[in-house]
Amino acid sequence: MESQSQFLPANPESVFTYGAPLLKYGRGAADEIGFDLSVTGAKRVLVVTDAGVAAAGIPQRVAERIKEFGIDAVVYDGVHVEPTDASLEHAIAYARDGGPWDAFIAVGGGSSIDTAKAINLLTTNPGELMDYVNAPVGRGNTPNQPLKPLVAVPTTTGTGAESTTICVLDVLDLKVKTGISHARLRPTLAVVDPMLTVSQPSGVTASAGMDILCHALESLTARPYMAYERKRPEQRVPYCGSNPISDMWAEKALMLMSTSFRRAVLDGDDEEARASMALAATFAGLGFGNAGVHIPHANAYPIAGRVKDFHAKDYPSGEPMVPHGMAVSLTAPEAFRFTFDTAPERHLRAASLLSPAADKPNDLSSFLPDVLTALMSDIGIPNGIAEVGYESSDVAGLVEGALMQQRVLAAAPCEVRDEDLASIFTRSLTLW
Amino acid sequence: MESQSQFLPANPESVFTYGAPLLKYGRGAADEIGFDLSVTGAKRVLVVTDAGVAAAGIPQRVAERIKEFGIDAVVYDGVHVEPTDASLEHAIAYARDGGPWDAFIAVGGGSSIDTAKAINLLTTNPGELMDYVNAPVGRGNTPNQPLKPLVAVPTTTGTGAESTTICVLDVLDLKVKTGISHARLRPTLAVVDPMLTVSQPSGVTASAGMDILCHALESLTARPYMAYERKRPEQRVPYCGSNPISDMWAEKALMLMSTSFRRAVLDGDDEEARASMALAATFAGLGFGNAGVHIPHANAYPIAGRVKDFHAKDYPSGEPMVPHGMAVSLTAPEAFRFTFDTAPERHLRAASLLSPAADKPNDLSSFLPDVLTALMSDIGIPNGIAEVGYESSDVAGLVEGALMQQRVLAAAPCEVRDEDLASIFTRSLTLW
């Protein structure tokens, strides 16, 4: 492993950027969206959700409350969980046929929020989906027209998609996960109402919570902004590396989770724990949405994409699936052991924030991995990738899949070679 | 003094809001504004500044760099330091005559940024200045039309005006300081380039730094959002009380200042200290811009407004003046002694963050006042309001002036009676 100092460039970056949506947080916040839309002059809006969330009645209730402010609100519940190019194109066609819309409201998890970002982009800017998907998969065009207001209302505590500028999708023909990334995709208003998450089942709280945790830990340990070459303004991207602001959000998210994560998994009716987790999800999103994520997220793509026949507790039983947050977490302990030497004090501080009572082991590089595996074991996350169906002979394929995520791996604090990934996957077969 | 719990209402607020401009921070950030404007499609922009800042050449350099991106940039240098209704009306008339403008760029201290907010408001919305000034002084109308992009480029490390939704002005006929406050006034982009502050003289760094410090301390100790009655959405204002996000910004600002404030005053060429102070100013602005400020800021209005013949080091020698930050700081130690019982742990934490090595005194309510006066003494702030020209017989008038700031006093964590203010002013005649 190379140390971070080897990456300090000749002409280091001196500038970082920070963007965030307006935020309205608290019990009852989701009932006020009609007012927030009315001040924009909106008359007709589209509520974007998936069938599962719709079955719980939340988007319909949001739409009814919006209508009380004299705004016509139509519900589209065709979001595909883990959006694909096909599902996004379907949603865009629906919105184009039924438009024009003055604003969009996403109600659900990251899939609904990301789908609404794509709808917003493709109903305000010319062209087709693949024109805007990151190159080389798509043409990587920049939207030139302003987008409409987008209100994001998360119903799971995990993705932080309400804070970010990216829309993640599977391109089915190419069997590749990629995204659309531009500052204009960021929601204009995030409405975080912890009461919407109270019905989230325990297994979902555990997996989605590991996503939050990894957002915070990866942004805290991402390559610092000044370790990049100085950029010209037109080269800046929303993910600019770890910086004093993203660090602050990440650390605060870890502090909130240290007292609430186990409680929220154990007792879904613990409203205080739910409120802290909802806040932590948003805080972590505000961190990684500006800093970036790295190895655990890159590894999650093949872990989820190459699933054999694993079914996760509390998730739909139809298709085999490793939930995103679970997939992210399974190599996190070993990834942070690998990155430890790039910034020991950051790894140690993260472990202490997450588990203030834990004792430091003699081998300090084990501190954060130990704290993570203790937590994962307590909340019912599988004990490594073997438990979700992978064996040693799968490692080469997993490495190949992770290496396709070069945009993500570039945010790691050091070079990540094939053999480094192979070692991380192998050590992650069984974690404890 | 009443304890905070007596203020917990029957139907407490459950929602808080948080807004912030996009932020670009770092050395060289001010050179990129032309690019940031070009993506909005701007062709012709107005740079708003005061004659003092213009004399240093900064706004002209910003304008030249903007022109390199094919955008016409005109400099208006008629900002009045401490804006008045007359100075704002003059600036608005200039902008209306010379318009239309696609965007505004404020380069300077809070006065330039606030003047640009007023120009932006009155060149995009109908009516006159007093239509929008807070009632009862003005008519308190709400702007119904969207404003243009406003880029704020602070050249002093103090006001945090780049983060806030308020424009402060003196109404000359009424001899009263008031403001215009609306979420739409918030700058769209804050460009914080610490190199612009290197020439700020020591006395200005000290006074403006006390403004930063009081922003952080007052927002941290402001009435918590849940201690207000539940609001309807149309009743929400940008200042919603202390909350987990404003607390985080305030605490981080205190941490930055604990290591940089004395250094920046002592040695203006200490770039690391300047960079930390610039970041602290923005962080504190992001805190109080959402939480509010209270007693020290209310008291600053009459301390500055009733000035006799005090002249501050490193400020223009023409008219007598108590600089804003100095005026804010002079009653801060005694104000925080008064509010101590409403939230002892917050006052103690603030003192520890600001001065980690300080020992707690036996009387814990003295801890924050002691830490503050030690700092003020070190950086050359006057030893109380007597040193800027007030005596016991002036206290009644100062109290009367502070009581006119009911909007500000309402953010205090407890009721503030006439006799409470009289006691704070009297104890602040000589601080140490």
Side-chain angles (χ1 to χ4, degrees):
Chain A
M1 184 167 54
E2 303 187 3
S3 86
Q4 188 174 292
S5 60
Q6 294 179 253
F7 278 86
L8 277 184
N11 184 20
E13 183 55 83
S14 65
V15 169
F16 68 85
T17 55
Y18 169 69
L22 284 170
L23 174 66
K24 187 177 269 197
Y25 172 90
R27 176 203 287 257
D31 294 331
E32 300 185 0
I33 295 168
F35 174 79
D36 295 313
L37 290 168
S38 70
V39 298
T40 72
K43 299 290 180 213
R44 184 162 182 273
V45 303
L46 183 63
V47 176
V48 178
T49 191
D50 70 59
V53 176
I58 299 172
Q60 295 84 343
R61 204 171 66 233
V62 167
E64 289 308 316
R65 291 300 185 98
I66 290 173
K67 288 176 187 168
E68 291 169 9
F69 287 83
I71 296 168
D72 186 21
V74 176
V75 176
Y76 171 77
D77 68 0
V79 167
H80 189 267
V81 176
E82 304 286 321
T84 66
D85 50 347
S87 83
L88 292 181
E89 281 163 357
H90 184 271
I92 292 161
Y94 175 92
R96 284 180 169 173
D97 285 349
W101 309 98
D102 299 320
F104 301 96
I105 299 92
V107 180
S111 300
S112 293
I113 297 170
D114 281 6
T115 298
K117 290 173 185 170
I119 291 174
N120 196 6
L121 173 65
L122 272 304
T123 53
T124 51
N125 279 266
E128 299 308 321
L129 185 67
M130 293 306 287
D131 291 334
Y132 297 97
V133 168
N134 293 335
V137 174
R139 281 171 286 281
N141 289 352
T142 295
N144 288 314
Q145 298 300 313
L147 275 64
K148 298 284 185 183
L150 168 56
V151 180
V153 189
T155 60
T156 55
T157 49
T159 68
E162 68 277 11
S163 301
T164 69
T165 59
I166 191 162
C167 161
V168 177
L169 70 151
D170 286 306
V171 179
L172 295 174
D173 281 355
L174 303 175
K175 294 191 193 306
V176 66
K177 205 179 262 284
T178 179
I180 305 173
S181 179
H182 190 273
R184 286 191 159 151
L185 263 58
R186 195 191 315 270
T188 42
L189 172 65
V191 174
V192 180
D193 188 335
M195 297 312 289
L196 300 185
T197 70
V198 168
S199 62
Q200 179 177 268
S202 160
V204 177
T205 302
S207 284
M210 289 307 299
D211 195 23
I212 306 175
L213 194 48
C214 290
H215 289 155
L217 294 171
E218 291 174 57
S219 68
L220 201 57
T221 56
R223 182 186 296 206
Y225 74 97
M226 64 282 200
Y228 288 87
E229 277 288 341
R230 170 98 188 157
K231 296 185 191 73
R232 294 191 304 275
E234 66 274 20
Q235 294 173 316
R236 299 199 182 287
V237 290
Y239 297 125
C240 62
S242 68
N243 61 70
I245 295 182
S246 62
D247 290 349
M248 182 180 68
W249 289 114
E251 291 181 4
K252 196 75 185 182
L254 293 175
M255 286 188 242
L256 285 165
M257 296 187 84
S258 73
T259 56
S260 62
F261 192 4
R262 285 176 174 85
R263 280 167 53 199
V265 173
L266 210 66
D267 174 10
D269 294 325
D270 183 334
E271 288 184 19
E272 190 181 271
R274 292 292 199 185
S276 290
M277 290 296 285
L279 210 51
T282 299
F283 284 15
L286 289 165
F288 94 86
N290 289 285
V293 286
H294 57 91
I295 301 171
H297 268 75
N299 291 350
Y301 287 121
I303 292 172
R306 292 165 179 257
V307 61
K308 298 173 183 180
D309 62 357
F310 182 76
H311 293 264
K313 172 173 164 286
D314 293 334
Y315 281 84
S317 57
E319 299 167 17
M321 177 174 78
V322 184
H324 172 70
M326 183 186 291
V328 170
S329 73
L330 291 173
T331 63
E334 292 304 321
F336 295 124
R337 191 191 306 280
F338 170 73
T339 57
F340 177 78
D341 283 345
T342 64
E345 75 296 343
R346 282 179 176 250
H347 291 70
L348 298 175
R349 187 162 73 248
S352 293
L353 289 172
L354 190 58
S355 192
D359 290 324
K360 282 196 182 74
N362 289 332
D363 172 8
L364 292 178
S365 71
S366 292
F367 192 26
L368 183 53
D370 288 353
V371 162
L372 279 174
T373 51
L375 172 65
M376 291 161 74
S377 161
D378 285 354
I379 62 172
I381 297 288
N383 179 8
I385 59 174
E387 209 168 287
V388 303
Y390 295 103
E391 45 195 281
S392 300
S393 58
D394 295 313
V395 164
L398 292 168
V399 169
E400 186 189 6
L403 285 170
M404 292 179 71
Q405 305 300 325
Q406 283 301 322
R407 284 170 62 96
V408 180
L409 290 174
C414 56
E415 190 190 358
V416 186
R417 300 165 302 180
D418 302 20
E419 56 264 45
D420 299 323
L421 288 172
S423 163
I424 291 169
F425 278 116
T426 301
R427 297 177 63 113
S428 301
L429 283 164
T430 301
L431 288 167
W432 63 83
Chain B
M1 186 167 53
E2 303 188 4
S3 86
Q4 188 174 293
S5 61
Q6 295 179 254
F7 278 85
L8 276 184
N11 184 20
E13 183 56 84
S14 65
V15 169
F16 68 85
T17 55
Y18 169 69
L22 285 170
L23 174 66
K24 188 177 269 197
Y25 172 90
R27 175 204 287 257
D31 294 331
E32 301 186 0
I33 296 167
F35 174 79
D36 295 314
L37 290 168
S38 70
V39 298
T40 72
K43 300 289 178 212
R44 184 162 183 274
V45 304
L46 183 64
V47 176
V48 178
T49 191
D50 70 59
V53 176
I58 299 172
Q60 295 85 341
R61 203 170 69 234
V62 167
E64 289 308 316
R65 291 301 185 98
I66 290 173
K67 288 176 188 167
E68 291 169 9
F69 286 83
I71 296 168
D72 186 21
V74 176
V75 175
Y76 171 77
D77 68 359
V79 167
H80 189 268
V81 176
E82 305 285 320
T84 66
D85 50 347
S87 83
L88 293 180
E89 280 163 358
H90 183 272
I92 291 161
Y94 175 92
R96 283 180 169 173
D97 285 349
W101 309 97
D102 300 320
F104 301 96
I105 300 91
V107 180
S111 299
S112 294
I113 297 170
D114 281 6
T115 299
K117 290 173 185 170
I119 291 174
N120 196 5
L121 173 65
L122 271 305
T123 53
T124 51
N125 279 266
E128 298 308 321
L129 185 67
M130 294 305 286
D131 291 335
Y132 296 96
V133 167
N134 293 334
V137 175
R139 280 172 286 280
N141 289 353
T142 295
N144 288 313
Q145 298 299 312
L147 276 63
K148 298 283 185 185
L150 168 55
V151 181
V153 189
T155 60
T156 56
T157 49
T159 69
E162 68 277 11
S163 302
T164 69
T165 59
I166 192 162
C167 161
V168 177
L169 70 152
D170 286 307
V171 180
L172 295 174
D173 281 354
L174 302 175
K175 294 190 194 306
V176 65
K177 205 180 260 289
T178 179
I180 305 172
S181 178
H182 190 272
R184 285 191 161 150
L185 263 60
R186 194 190 318 270
T188 42
L189 172 66
V191 174
V192 180
D193 188 334
M195 298 312 289
L196 300 185
T197 70
V198 169
S199 62
Q200 179 178 270
S202 160
V204 177
T205 302
S207 283
M210 289 307 298
D211 195 23
I212 307 175
L213 194 49
C214 289
H215 288 155
L217 294 172
E218 290 173 58
S219 68
L220 201 57
T221 56
R223 182 185 297 206
Y225 74 97
M226 65 282 200
Y228 288 88
E229 277 287 341
R230 170 98 187 157
K231 297 186 190 75
R232 294 190 306 274
E234 66 275 19
Q235 295 173 315
R236 299 198 182 287
V237 290
Y239 297 126
C240 61
S242 69
N243 62 70
I245 296 183
S246 63
D247 290 349
M248 182 180 67
W249 289 114
E251 291 181 3
K252 197 75 185 179
L254 293 176
M255 286 187 241
L256 285 165
M257 297 188 84
S258 72
T259 56
S260 62
F261 192 5
R262 284 177 174 84
R263 280 167 54 199
V265 172
L266 211 66
D267 174 11
D269 293 325
D270 183 333
E271 288 185 17
E272 190 181 272
R274 292 290 198 185
S276 289
M277 290 295 285
L279 210 51
T282 299
F283 283 14
L286 289 166
F288 93 85
N290 288 286
V293 286
H294 56 91
I295 301 170
H297 268 75
N299 290 349
Y301 287 121
I303 292 172
R306 292 162 179 259
V307 61
K308 298 174 182 176
D309 62 357
F310 181 77
H311 293 262
K313 171 175 165 286
D314 294 333
Y315 280 85
S317 56
E319 300 168 15
M321 177 173 77
V322 184
H324 172 69
M326 183 186 290
V328 170
S329 72
L330 289 173
T331 64
E334 291 304 323
F336 295 125
R337 189 190 307 280
F338 169 72
T339 57
F340 178 79
D341 283 345
T342 65
E345 74 297 343
R346 285 181 174 249
H347 290 69
L348 298 175
R349 187 163 71 248
S352 293
L353 289 172
L354 189 57
S355 192
D359 289 325
K360 282 197 182 72
N362 289 333
D363 173 6
L364 292 177
S365 71
S366 292
F367 192 26
L368 183 53
D370 288 353
V371 163
L372 278 174
T373 51
L375 172 66
M376 290 161 74
S377 163
D378 284 353
I379 62 172
I381 297 289
N383 179 7
I385 59 174
E387 210 169 286
V388 303
Y390 296 104
E391 45 196 277
S392 299
S393 58
D394 295 312
V395 165
L398 292 168
V399 169
E400 186 189 6
L403 284 170
M404 291 178 72
Q405 305 300 326
Q406 283 301 322
R407 284 170 60 97
V408 180
L409 290 174
C414 56
E415 189 189 359
V416 186
R417 299 164 303 179
D418 302 20
E419 55 264 44
D420 300 322
L421 288 171
S423 163
I424 291 169
F425 278 116
T426 301
R427 297 177 63 112
S428 300
L429 283 164
T430 301
L431 288 168
W432 62 83

